[in-house]
Amino acid sequence: MSRRKSSILLPFNLNATKTVNQTDENVTALRTTIKTPQFKTPASRRRTVVEIVEPELDENDLEEFEDLKRKMWSVYRVSDLNSFDHTKPTTFPRYGRILSRYLVNSFSTQAVTLQAKFVLKPDIQGFDQEDLPVHIKVEDVQLSQPRLVYEGLLLSARKSEESRADGVVHLPVLLARGPLSVRDKVHHCLSAVFSSSINEVSIPTDDMHWMIAAWSGFLNESRNNKEVSFMYGIPSRTDTIQCQYSVNFIKDLWSCIHDMDNRDVELSEVKRFYSSLIKHTANTVGLNLNNVPLIMYKTPDFELHTVGKVKVNTLEFIPRILHFIADLCEKKHE
């Protein structure tokens, strides 16, 4: 069932009954009067300080990054792949034939001609891992122009000191897109062939809060979009509430709370930032969103959904998003 959506544009348009002047003075006032909400993260897992390391944008990978842009990806966690050999030139075509046959047999009630391909990709994450990313593509080739029905990208994580068995490949991140029915069948086949498990990844609210705050200073305006959107889901209902702020307001607010020259972001700063937005909305339109779960965050650069979906629109944010997702999947593995 789809959610009904209500939008709140901040600052309001000329037809609104209340106007908010989002000046530096207004931001500072918010900062000094907020009350921080209590995040629900268990104390044993609660982070108090995070170092924000900016991954470099390697010009040699621009073409690979371009291929990731403006696509809505679902995030999956993949356990170690057994007997996944990408060192021999004949291996990937054989994997493609296995997956193609499986998919055609799975859709036995429909006339389909599907072709799967596995391609080795360069290390676009910069983790310097021996297990390189793998691109999986499935096309319907029965028409004169092949139609893409599935696309997936297996990615590595940061180096781990844990020992691994011989013949095991560690690519714990899978970005995938395509119809859900096709995605499920592709992942079932991969799990069976490589004795692995593939599970959807949700993004916890506290991780969203850290990411939103830490990246606020790097946001950009586009020609057609100069706003940041927060979408909240009303529990036990299909309604949503969407609040929109200007990019400059979000950046100014974060700069009032955090010194941009300091790479260490503290939990207290994250709480103050998010509480400022909650208080701002309560004061301007009378909506108390303190206990309403955040389900989507969207900027001109990227959008992120708690159900585990991500879309990146600008090149400079792709390395940040890839590192964020890799760390998230590794944390899920712990």
Side-chain angles (χ1 to χ4, degrees):
M1 182 182 296
S2 60
R3 288 180 175 270
R4 291 186 299 173
K5 182 172 68 174
S6 300
S7 293
I8 302 171
L9 180 62
L10 304 175
F12 301 100
N13 57 36
L14 294 178
N15 296 322
T17 58
K18 186 179 293 186
T19 302
V20 180
N21 295 319
Q22 296 173 331
T23 62
D24 290 342
E25 181 180 354
N26 176 249
V27 171
T28 304
L30 280 172
R31 183 189 66 173
T32 57
T33 59
I34 58 176
K35 295 181 180 179
T36 59
Q38 296 298 314
F39 295 141
K40 303 301 182 181
T41 308
S44 60
R45 288 175 38 232
R46 191 172 298 141
R47 296 167 293 179
T48 57
V49 178
V50 169
E51 181 183 4
I52 305 301
V53 179
E54 282 299 299
E56 296 182 0
L57 185 64
D58 193 333
E59 294 185 358
N60 296 324
D61 297 327
L62 291 182
E63 184 176 349
E64 303 297 335
F65 288 152
E66 284 285 353
D67 196 45
L68 294 174
K69 279 175 52 179
R70 298 188 178 90
K71 297 176 180 178
M72 184 64 74
W73 298 95
S74 294
V75 183
Y76 293 83
R77 159 73 197 177
V78 184
S79 65
D80 288 344
L81 300 164
N82 294 275
S83 303
F84 187 82
D85 188 357
H86 53 70
T87 61
K88 299 178 181 179
T90 58
T91 302
F92 277 10
R94 180 165 64 86
Y95 294 159
R97 291 192 296 269
I98 292 173
L99 179 56
S100 298
R101 287 196 299 268
Y102 176 85
L103 292 174
V104 171
N105 292 334
S106 298
F107 291 101
S108 57
T109 59
Q110 306 175 38
V112 294
T113 305
L114 300 177
Q115 185 178 75
K117 293 182 180 180
F118 289 68
V119 178
L120 200 64
K121 291 291 185 177
D123 178 20
I124 59 176
Q125 296 163 285
F127 290 153
D128 194 25
Q129 291 278 37
E130 60 182 35
D131 297 331
L132 294 176
V134 175
H135 183 254
I136 304 171
K137 182 170 65 174
V138 179
E139 292 180 320
D140 184 349
V141 295
Q142 64 181 335
L143 303 175
S144 57
Q145 184 67 31
R147 181 172 63 92
L148 183 70
V149 296
Y150 174 88
E151 184 177 18
L153 185 64
L154 288 163
L155 295 162
S156 63
R158 300 181 192 276
K159 282 191 173 181
S160 173
E161 296 180 357
E162 297 181 4
S163 59
R164 288 184 291 166
D166 293 338
V168 171
V169 171
H170 188 59
L171 294 171
V173 183
L174 172 61
L175 300 180
R177 67 188 190 98
L180 181 59
S181 59
V182 179
R183 272 185 279 148
D184 287 345
K185 292 183 184 299
V186 170
H187 299 166
H188 183 271
C189 180
L190 295 177
S191 298
V193 172
F194 302 112
S195 302
S196 178
S197 63
I198 301 176
N199 301 295
E200 294 178 320
V201 173
S202 59
I203 303 175
T205 302
D206 63 317
D207 287 292
M208 290 273 281
H209 289 168
W210 277 98
M211 177 273 302
I212 290 170
W215 292 349
S216 291
F218 305 103
L219 297 179
N220 302 289
E221 293 181 341
S222 67
R223 176 183 296 181
N224 300 320
N225 189 357
K226 303 180 186 297
E227 297 164 350
V228 173
S229 300
F230 293 76
M231 182 177 289
Y232 301 86
I234 301 177
S236 303
R237 297 181 61 179
T238 59
D239 301 85
T240 61
I241 299 173
Q242 181 169 308
C243 300
Q244 294 177 302
Y245 306 84
S246 70
V247 169
N248 287 336
F249 174 71
I250 294 295
K251 296 177 72 170
D252 289 344
L253 175 58
W254 182 238
S255 67
C256 286
I257 296 172
H258 176 76
D259 180 0
M260 291 302 295
D261 293 328
N262 184 2
R263 288 189 173 184
D264 292 336
V265 175
E266 298 183 4
L267 177 60
S268 60
E269 294 176 320
V270 175
K271 288 184 175 182
R272 292 170 70 190
F273 175 80
Y274 193 70
S275 296
S276 297
L277 298 176
I278 297 297
K279 184 176 180 66
H280 181 70
T281 305
N283 289 342
T284 53
V285 295
L287 280 176
N288 184 2
L289 299 174
N290 191 39
N291 295 315
V292 183
L294 177 68
I295 61 174
M296 188 273 287
Y297 176 65
K298 183 178 181 180
T299 78
D301 297 291
F302 67 95
E303 64 180 273
L304 203 62
H305 301 249
T306 55
V307 293
K309 293 183 181 294
V310 61
K311 181 179 180 181
V312 189
N313 298 318
T314 55
L315 285 177
E316 69 176 86
F317 263 87
I318 290 180
R320 295 187 184 111
I321 293 290
L322 293 181
H323 282 225
F324 172 76
I325 292 174
D327 292 342
L328 182 66
C329 288
E330 281 294 83
K331 187 174 72 171
K332 292 281 186 181
H333 182 58
E334 294 175 355

